[in-house]
Amino acid sequence: MVSLLQLNGVASEAQWQEISQEITRVLLHHQYNLAQQRIAQNIDQKWLNSLETEDDILYASVELTRDV
C-alpha cells in the first residue's frame, strides 16, 4: 500500500492505468486459484471418473462453478 502512495506523485495517468490492470490481473489470478481449490476439495473421484463424454464434462463444469 505504501508503494502505491509513493507512486502517487510520480506515475502518469497511463502508468496508473497499467498499474491498475496489473493489480486486477493479480487479484483475479488469486480469486481463480481459491475457487479452484474449493472445487477440488468437493469433487467426488468416483463421480469424476464417471464422466465419459465431452457433454458430460461440460455439464459438470457448469454445475461445479455455478455457486463459485
Side-chain angles (χ1 to χ4, degrees):
M1 191 61 146
V2 174
S3 297
L4 287 175
L5 294 174
Q6 291 173 343
L7 289 173
N8 192 27
V10 181
S12 69
E13 185 65 33
Q15 290 168 324
W16 273 112
Q17 183 69 24
E18 185 179 340
I19 291 166
S20 174
Q21 289 173 353
E22 196 64 33
I23 291 169
T24 301
R25 270 192 287 279
V26 168
L27 292 173
L28 288 173
H29 174 75
H30 286 286
Q31 182 181 17
Y32 173 81
N33 284 340
L34 290 172
Q36 191 176 34
Q37 288 172 8
R38 280 183 287 176
I39 290 169
Q41 291 171 352
N42 294 310
I43 290 181
D44 177 0
Q45 275 304 118
K46 287 183 183 179
W47 171 77
L48 185 61
N49 292 334
S50 74
L51 304 175
E52 296 179 358
T53 67
E54 186 174 326
D55 286 340
D56 291 343
I57 295 168
L58 290 172
Y59 179 77
S61 67
V62 169
E63 289 302 310
L64 286 171
T65 57
R66 183 170 293 201
D67 294 329
V68 175

